[in-house]
Structures are given as C-alpha cells and as structure tokens.
Amino acid sequence: MFCLSLLCLALVHSLSVSATVYDVQVGGANGTLAYSPEAIFAQPGDQVVFHFNPKNHTVTQSSFADPCGPKEGGLDSGFVPVATNTTDSLPTWTITVNDTQPIWVYCKQAANTPASHCGLGMVFAVNCGADGSPNSFSNFKSAALAVGASLSAAAATSTASSSESAVSTTWTAAYGNVTIPPAAEPTLVTETITLEASTWTTTYSSYPGSPAATPASLEGNVIKVTVGGSNQLVFDPPRISAEPRDIIMFEFQSKNHTVTQSSFDDPCRQLNANGTIGFDSGFHAVTDNATLPTWNITVNDTAPIWAYCRQKTPTSHCGAGMVFAINSNEQSARNFSAFQNLAEQLNGTASTSSSSSTAGESQTSVPASGTLSVGVSSAILTVVVAAALVSSLL
Ligand SMILES: *[C@@H]1O[C@H](CO)[C@@H](O)[C@H](O)[C@H]1NC(C)=O
Ligand SMILES: *[C@@H]1O[C@H](CO)[C@@H](O)[C@H](O)[C@H]1NC(C)=O
Ligand SMILES: *[C@@H]1O[C@H](CO)[C@@H](O)[C@H](O)[C@H]1NC(C)=O
Ligand SMILES: *[C@@H]1O[C@H](CO)[C@@H](O)[C@H](O)[C@H]1NC(C)=O
Ligand SMILES: *[C@@H]1O[C@H](CO)[C@@H](O)[C@H](O)[C@H]1NC(C)=O
Ligand SMILES: *[C@@H]1O[C@H](CO)[C@@H](O)[C@H](O)[C@H]1NC(C)=O
Ligand SMILES: *[C@@H]1O[C@H](CO)[C@@H](O)[C@H](O)[C@H]1NC(C)=O
Ligand SMILES: *[C@@H]1O[C@H](CO)[C@@H](O)[C@H](O)[C@H]1NC(C)=O
Ligand SMILES: *[C@@H]1O[C@H](CO)[C@@H](O)[C@H](O)[C@H]1NC(C)=O
Ligand SMILES: *[C@@H]1O[C@H](CO)[C@@H](O)[C@H](O)[C@H]1NC(C)=O
Ligand SMILES: *[C@@H]1O[C@H](CO)[C@@H](O)[C@H](O)[C@H]1NC(C)=O
Ligand SMILES: *[C@@H]1O[C@H](CO)[C@@H](O)[C@H](O)[C@H]1NC(C)=O
C-alpha cells in the first residue's frame, strides 16, 4: 500500500519535472550539409542529442552576430568524422539546455573557405526568436549564407586577381565568345582516413561542395551510367557524386558514342592542358543488343570531372547536350546544367547551321538535382527523472 502510493507520488512529481530529449541529425545520410530539424524550442533541463551522420561535422556554438565563428567559451563537440554510408550507431553528443536564452550553433568544417559548411547554411538554433523577429532562425541562416557568399566572392576575386577590371568574376569560354563563371579555387587537404581497419594518409584537392575523400569501401562502389539509352543522346544519370576508388561503369546501349573527358570551359573538346590529356573511351558502336559494351574509369579525387560524347556524325552529340559530370558543385554557378548549357551554346545549333533543334531533349533529361530529403526525425522521447526524487523521498 505504502509503496504503491509512493510510486504514484513519484510519478505525479515526475510529470511536472520531466525533461524532453530532442534528437537532431547532424548532416544527412548522403552528405547533406544541414542539421535536422534546424531549430528547436526547449525548456531548462531538456537535452539535445546530436547524431553525427557521414562526413566530418561539428556542433559548435556561435553567436547571432557572427554565425560562422566560435563563441568564446562556447560549446564545441569537436570534429566527428563518420565513414560514408554509416547508418547504424552514429556517434552522438549531448547538451543540456539550462535556460531559455537562444543557443546558436554551426558546423566549423572548412571554416573561412568557400567550402565552409556554415557558409553553405549548416546552422542550428535552440530557442531562437519567432519568425519575423530580428533574431529569427531565418535571419540567422541568411547571415550564415552571407558569410559563405562573401568567402566565395573573395576566393573568386583572388583567383582572378591578375585582371584588375571590376568584371573579373566572369571569364570567357575557350571559343564562341561566351562568358562563363570562374573556377572555384581548390584547397589542398591532407587527411588521415580510417576505413575497415585500414588507415592511410591522403592529400587531395578539395573543391567547394565536393564529397569527402573517404572511399565508400576499400574496393570502391561500382556506379553504372548508361550511354545512349533508349536511342537518346544522353548519359543516364547525367551527373553523379562519387568518392575516390569508385568505379564508374559506362554501358553503351545504342548508336556509336564515346565518353571523353573535357573541361568546364571547353565542354566539347578533349581535355589537353599542361600535358594532362583527358580520358577517352573511344567509339563504341552497339551492333547487338545482347552484348552491350562497357568501359570503366576509376575516380581518384573529389575534383569535378567533366565529360562528353565526341560523336559528330550526323550532328554534334555534345552540342545536343550529351554531356556528363562527376562531382560537379551544384551549389555553384559551375553546376551541371550550366555545363550542359555551355555545350549546347558552343557546339549546338549556333555552330551547326542546320536548324537541328533536336527536340530540346537535353532539358528534359536533367533530373531534379540534389533533392534535399532531410529526414525529419524529431523523435521526441520523454525521460522520466524520477529516480532522484524517489531516493530523496526514501
Ligand atoms: C548547462 O550547464 C552545465 C553545467 O554548468 C554546462 O556543463 C552546460 O554546458 C550548460 N549548457 C549550455 C547549453 O550552456
Ligand atoms: C564578344 O561579345 C561581346 C559582347 O556580346 C561583343 O561586344 C564582342 O564584339 C564579341 N567579340 C567577338 C570576337 O565576337
Ligand atoms: C576532420 O576535419 C578536420 C578539420 O578539417 C581535420 O583536421 C580532420 O583530420 C578530419 N578528420 C578526418 C578523419 O577526416
Ligand atoms: C553506399 O551507398 C551507395 C548508394 O546508396 C550504395 O550503392 C553502396 O552499396 C553503399 N556502399 C556500402 C559499402 O555500403
Ligand atoms: C597550366 O599552366 C599554366 C601556367 O603554369 C597555369 O596558369 C594554368 O592554370 C594551368 N592549367 C591547368 C588546367 O592546370
Ligand atoms: C563510329 O563513329 C566514328 C566517328 O564518327 C566512325 O569513325 C566509326 O566508323 C563509327 N563506327 C561504326 C561501327 O559505325
Ligand atoms: C536494340 O533494341 C532496340 C529496342 O528494343 C531496337 O529498337 C534496336 O533496333 C535493337 N538494335 C539492334 C542492333 O538489335
Ligand atoms: C567494369 O567494371 C565492372 C565491375 O567491376 C566489371 O564487371 C566490368 O567487366 C568492367 N568493364 C570493363 C570493360 O573492364
Ligand atoms: C585515376 O588514376 C588512374 C591511374 O593513374 C588513371 O588511369 C585514371 O585515368 C585516373 N582516373 C581519372 C578519372 O582521371
Ligand atoms: C565543338 O566545337 C569546336 C569548335 O568549333 C570543335 O573544335 C569541336 O570539335 C566541337 N566538338 C564537338 C564534339 O562537336
Ligand atoms: C546553375 O546553373 C544554372 C544555369 O547556368 C544557373 O541558372 C543557376 O543559377 C546555377 N545554380 C547556382 C546555384 O548557381
Ligand atoms: C539522399 O538519400 C535519399 C534516400 O536515401 C534519396 O532519396 C535522395 O535522392 C538522396 N539525395 C541526394 C542528393 O543524393
């Protein structure tokens, strides 16, 4: 009897002081640069458990005034590297909310570079102001994105510093008098990679928005790309994201195509710069549907790779938009569709007098890129902190 009523008392008590535990995903399963959810409202005593997804993120406290800089004496999880494709037992880091003041958070990866995760919008807040108020979450995120934009602009102007002109942010394509956005400046990163009990150090060129240099597995994944499927002048998928060691297997399905490496500013000619000659599959004519030829390349770096089909008979396939990209930065002006537009502009109808406006197949073939499917997993658990109460009553 006594025990029962004590239990009831403890339970009644616990309801009024129960702490809520908020789960927040840090980054997405496929490398999304975001916290999910992006903002929560919590009471003193509540806990926030951060779950670190693949890549190498942090949970670092900043301030509204300086969204991408550390707050003096603020909280910081430090870097938490997680191998690609890890989905189970993600590392976690927990904070306790002590009051109702806002807590501003960002990921400090690649700080002060155009690849800054914070500058790309990877920010989070506890108890931010309501929508429409000066310290709302959207104002905080806008401020972080503005930091990113100015970092990119600074990198672009320092790259193009040779030309003093104010319009130094656009360059001209190799031919055709078309202005194109400048190249992003890569940063040389030396990283120790641990994967399946192997550890090694790698130095690679990291580009803004490029995937981590951590291979998906020791052998790499095989990613299949069809060439000329359904008799169309397309690579499918037209752009992919790949990690070092991944094998891209091109399967030729129709006609007589190639996979040839080019560069962003010269999309329809084989790369040949400073002694680097781009890869080329050679022509693969499909004569028999039973044995489709394949041709493979191995990805060595996370730098963007641009490619096209160099068939020109009867019309330029590249000019019809038959181009392909690996690790293009979709957050930049040098994204896949910009590359495809440039190919069409330089080698398309403008260059071949024949009005072969090939049914605009290129526009339709581009898939909705980078769908940010952030799993809204704000599973809210209630933790009963009755133990202490029970013991104090006893
Ligand atoms: C809450 O207080 C504890 C104990 O002083 C401290 O460790 C923790 O960092 C504080 N939480 C926040 C969000 O500042
Ligand atoms: C390139 O384009 C600009 C602006 O459209 C034009 O003024 C210029 O004459 C063109 N140059 C050549 C070589 O066609
Ligand atoms: C994580 O990122 C930090 C900062 O860029 C770097 O120093 C560290 O080596 C990275 N760790 C791994 C395992 O990639
Ligand atoms: C990693 O994810 C990709 C895409 O979901 C999948 O194809 C691949 O098999 C995964 N690799 C490993 C080692 O699990
Ligand atoms: C080729 O070399 C020149 C001069 O060293 C350099 O400015 C340019 O960026 C290089 N191009 C490539 C694609 O590496
Ligand atoms: C494939 O195309 C190339 C270039 O147009 C041509 O030289 C070659 O003969 C073609 N091959 C076949 C089997 O049609
Ligand atoms: C291959 O299959 C497609 C569709 O099934 C057909 O249109 C085409 O004629 C076939 N090509 C050859 C060479 O058999
Ligand atoms: C490409 O790689 C796949 C998977 O490793 C393999 O099955 C295929 O035979 C390779 N193709 C060529 C032409 O080497
Ligand atoms: C990766 O390196 C290998 C060996 O050096 C080379 O054959 C291959 O072409 C490289 N891959 C790319 C995409 O450049
Ligand atoms: C694209 O046009 C350039 C310049 O006219 C030409 O040199 C190149 O061969 C063309 N490439 C293709 C694939 O049409
Ligand atoms: C991607 O390229 C298209 C076409 O040039 C351009 O309109 C768009 O603004 C680019 N996206 C970004 C994020 O810059
Ligand atoms: C991320 O993964 C989800 C499902 O795992 C997928 O639907 C989505 O297309 C992926 N997004 C990107 C940008 O790869």
Side-chain angles (χ1 to χ4, degrees):
M1 261 309 161
F2 170 77
C3 279
L4 256 174
S5 57
L6 175 63
L7 193 61
C8 290
L9 182 62
L11 274 174
V12 166
H13 230 95
S14 72
L15 285 176
S16 54
V17 294
S18 68
T20 303
V21 175
Y22 294 92
D23 287 293
V24 175
Q25 299 299 322
V26 181
N30 43 19
T32 320
L33 299 184
Y35 298 88
S36 176
E38 289 187 305
I40 60 164
F41 296 89
Q43 294 300 316
D46 290 352
Q47 290 190 320
V48 186
V49 180
F50 294 95
H51 300 260
F52 289 88
N53 283 278
K55 286 205 160 173
N56 184 358
H57 299 298
T58 75
V59 171
T60 307
Q61 193 172 2
S62 66
S63 59
F64 186 84
D66 183 12
C68 298
K71 179 184 171 167
E72 213 180 308
L75 300 164
D76 187 5
S77 67
F79 288 99
V80 184
V82 177
T84 310
N85 279 12
T86 311
T87 50
D88 294 331
S89 5
L90 297 173
T92 61
W93 191 69
T94 303
I95 66 169
T96 302
V97 175
N98 298 322
D99 50 39
T100 55
Q101 291 302 303
I103 301 172
W104 307 105
V105 164
Y106 72 110
C107 173
K108 69 177 178 182
Q109 185 57 269
N112 300 316
T113 74
S116 159
H117 286 192
C118 179
L120 293 168
M122 190 167 178
V123 291
F124 169 78
V126 181
N127 295 334
C128 55
D131 282 347
S133 66
N135 67 344
S136 65
F137 180 76
S138 61
N139 284 354
F140 178 59
K141 187 170 175 179
S142 300
L145 290 169
V147 169
S150 72
L151 289 168
S152 298
T157 47
S158 73
T159 314
S161 58
S162 51
S163 76
E164 295 283 80
S165 132
V167 268
S168 59
T169 46
T170 50
W171 290 0
T172 305
Y175 54 94
N177 197 17
V178 180
T179 51
I180 55 165
E185 187 78 344
T187 31
L188 213 57
V189 178
T190 299
E191 215 176 312
T192 301
I193 291 175
T194 304
L195 187 68
E196 297 169 19
S198 298
T199 297
W200 69 93
T201 300
T202 182
T203 298
Y204 69 104
S205 301
S206 174
Y207 283 76
S210 67
T214 311
S217 65
L218 286 176
E219 328 71 64
N221 286 327
V222 177
I223 302 173
K224 182 172 150 185
V225 174
T226 65
V227 185
S230 311
N231 272 315
Q232 300 292 301
L233 301 185
V234 291
F235 292 92
D236 186 20
R239 68 170 182 84
I240 58 167
S241 180
E243 275 105 18
R245 301 191 183 197
D246 285 354
I247 294 169
I248 318 301
M249 183 176 85
F250 294 95
E251 184 181 87
F252 295 85
Q253 295 198 334
S254 73
K255 296 184 178 162
N256 182 5
H257 299 294
T258 76
V259 182
T260 307
Q261 188 176 11
S262 62
S263 60
F264 185 92
D265 16 357
D266 198 355
C268 299
R269 290 195 297 200
Q270 188 172 7
L271 175 68
N272 185 354
N274 296 351
T276 305
I277 300 196
F279 58 73
D280 179 32
S281 67
F283 285 97
H284 283 82
V286 179
T287 48
D288 160 17
N289 280 351
T291 50
L292 298 174
T294 64
W295 186 78
N296 294 347
I297 59 166
T298 302
V299 173
N300 303 318
D301 201 337
T302 60
I305 295 174
W306 308 101
Y308 71 108
C309 169
R310 66 181 167 90
Q311 181 61 272
K312 288 199 258 190
T313 309
T315 54
S316 168
H317 286 189
C318 187
M322 189 169 180
V323 294
F324 173 74
I326 303 172
N327 296 336
S328 54
N329 180 2
E330 293 304 303
Q331 264 70 53
S332 79
R334 288 187 164 228
N335 59 44
F336 175 77
S337 71
F339 177 62
Q340 192 173 45
N341 290 344
L342 189 58
E344 290 167 353
Q345 239 176 312
L346 293 174
N347 285 60
T349 49
S351 59
T352 50
S353 52
S354 64
S355 60
S356 56
S357 64
T358 28
E361 73 274 79
S362 50
Q363 277 98 326
T364 53
S365 68
V366 183
S369 55
T371 29
L372 301 177
S373 65
V374 260
V376 186
S377 59
S378 50
I380 297 172
L381 302 170
T382 305
V383 168
V384 180
V385 286
L389 275 165
V390 171
S391 57
S392 72
L393 282 168
L394 289 174

